[in-house]
Structures are given as C-alpha cells and as structure tokens.
Amino acid sequence: MEKNKICMIFDMDGTLWDATKGVTDAYNDYLYRVKGWKDYLTQQDIINITGLEIEEIADALFPTLKREERYDLVKQCMGYENEYLSKHGGALYPKVAETLKKLSEEHPLMIVTNADDGYVQAMFSAHPIGQYFIDFEMYGRTNLVKGKNIALVMERNHIKKAVYIGDTKKDQEACQLAQVPFIYASYGFGKVDQYDAKIDCFEDLLTCVQSFDDSLD
C-alpha cells in the first residue's frame, strides 16, 4: 500500500449496503415475541431512522414508552438485529466488493457508523468484505458522535488525510466536525446539498478519490 494515499472512511447504511428489509424483519420478529406487537414497523419506518444515533432511534420508534424503557427496548432490538443480519446479511450495493478490493490495494479503508456495537461485525459475518478494512468504529461502542469517531479512528491509525463517504446530512455535518472532505453517495437514503464530491454509484469512487489524492501535500 502506498502510504501517501488518502484514507477512505465509510458510512454503512445507504453507502455500503441496504439492510432495511432485514432490520425491519428482525425488529418485527423481536417485538412480536416480547411485546406481542404484530408487524409494528414498516420498511419505510426503518429507512426514516437510518443514520440516526441510538437515542434518536428509540425516540422515533417508541415515542409512547418512557425514556429509559424505549432506550432499553431499542438496544434489545439491535442486539437481535445483529444476530439476524450476521446470518441473513443485507443487500450490498452493486460492485461494492470488487471496488473495495481495488481501493484497498492503495488506500487504507475504515468504517464509522452510528449503529450499535456488533453491527459492523454482522455485515462482515454475512459478506466477505471485512478483509478490506483496517479499522472500524461505532456509536454503540464509544457513545461518541460520528464526527468524533472519525477523528478517533484517524488518530489511532496515525492518519493525517482522509475522506468520508456517506449519504445523509448527518454524515456531512460529521465531516465538518472532523474537518475531512465529504463524498456524497447520492444513491443512498439521504438528500444532501453540500459536499466536496458526489458519486452516483459505488464504483465511481475509483475515479472520484483520485482528485483527493492529487490534492495531498
């Protein structure tokens, strides 16, 4: 690997994969077993909370429950979700595996997500792409906002230059906090109007990242 190549840090949902169907099925299965709530959530409900932090998800999905109760319930759902996805997986976007393989030959690759601990590992269990990443971090493990987790993985891997690839306004705001360029994955779930570069499919990263490499000191 060329050490002067820029580090690429990835969001998951809406960037690497779409796991909303599996997450919906897992939540509904768990909620029916523990609460008796049949078909409580739709896939659109899960799409709407994609990229939010855990407390925000609890508030959105279970607003009628007391604060501590809804947080505990969403954590239980996420634990079950991770088990489910580790077996069933999600839908990787087209050319993700092939593109990651090529990128990893020249760039250090990482993941930073707002998900609970175990979510990244579940994806790696179901899809053989973990070998391409040198590090990852999750809100559920650090309780840090995404911008601070981006800075954290950069610091512990001695990374000076990085870009972040994501699909939501929260991703864009995280990049502002971490002071790294933002590449907007327009095929994902969010709508963003401020970004440093845009990709319309995952494979576009192969050419898009070159402009950031060229700008390195």
Side-chain angles (χ1 to χ4, degrees), residues 16-122:
L16 293 172
W17 73 347
D18 178 354
T20 55
K21 183 182 184 305
V23 173
T24 305
D25 291 343
Y27 270 57
N28 280 337
D29 184 37
Y30 188 79
L31 290 171
Y32 181 67
R33 290 199 288 115
V34 302
K35 291 288 190 180
W37 300 347
K38 184 174 176 60
D39 298 327
Y40 179 77
L41 298 171
T42 67
Q43 190 170 349
Q44 188 59 50
D45 291 328
I46 297 300
I47 291 172
N48 291 343
I49 54 91
T50 296
L52 299 183
E53 293 167 9
I54 296 171
E55 290 87 349
E56 295 172 320
I57 293 172
D59 292 343
L61 297 185
F62 311 121
T64 62
L65 300 180
K66 293 181 179 179
R67 182 176 180 84
E68 184 175 346
E69 184 180 0
R70 62 180 178 247
Y71 180 73
D72 288 344
L73 183 58
V74 85
K75 289 283 286 185
Q76 294 166 26
C77 287
M78 287 179 170
Y80 184 79
E81 161 199 329
N82 289 339
E83 293 180 20
Y84 185 94
L85 291 177
S86 68
K87 299 174 183 177
H88 301 280
L92 294 179
Y93 287 109
K95 299 294 185 69
V96 162
E98 301 94 319
T99 302
L100 288 174
K101 182 177 186 300
K102 291 178 182 178
L103 291 171
S104 69
E105 292 170 358
E106 296 189 341
H107 301 270
L109 308 183
M110 305 180 190
I111 292 173
V112 170
T113 173
N114 276 336
D116 199 14
D117 189 12
Y119 193 65
V120 178
Q121 299 95 314

Side-chain angles (χ1 to χ4, degrees), residues 83-204:
E83 293 180 20
Y84 185 94
L85 291 177
S86 68
K87 299 174 183 177
H88 301 280
L92 294 179
Y93 287 109
K95 299 294 185 69
V96 162
E98 301 94 319
T99 302
L100 288 174
K101 182 177 186 300
K102 291 178 182 178
L103 291 171
S104 69
E105 292 170 358
E106 296 189 341
H107 301 270
L109 308 183
M110 305 180 190
I111 292 173
V112 170
T113 173
N114 276 336
D116 199 14
D117 189 12
Y119 193 65
V120 178
Q121 299 95 314
M123 182 176 70
F124 288 169
S125 293
H127 304 279
I129 59 174
Q131 61 189 306
Y132 304 126
F133 296 93
I134 67 169
D135 200 1
F136 60 85
E137 197 51 88
M138 298 156 286
Y139 175 85
R141 190 159 66 180
T142 66
N143 288 321
L144 296 175
V145 297
K146 182 172 281 187
K148 291 187 176 180
N149 274 330
I150 292 172
L152 174 65
V153 295
M154 289 179 64
E155 180 180 3
R156 73 185 180 206
N157 289 280
H158 311 290
I159 298 295
K160 301 299 183 184
K161 298 283 188 176
V163 294
Y164 188 83
I165 304 96
D167 68 306
T168 67
K169 183 172 177 57
K170 276 187 170 287
D171 293 329
Q172 182 262 327
E173 293 170 347
C175 289
Q176 287 183 320
L177 178 61
Q179 298 185 318
V180 299
F182 174 54
I183 299 178
Y184 170 45
S186 66
Y187 54 84
F189 300 121
K191 299 296 181 183
V192 181
D193 55 13
Q194 295 182 34
Y195 45 81
D196 297 285
K198 182 180 78 164
I199 57 172
D200 296 318
C201 65
F202 195 80
E203 195 175 17
D204 284 350

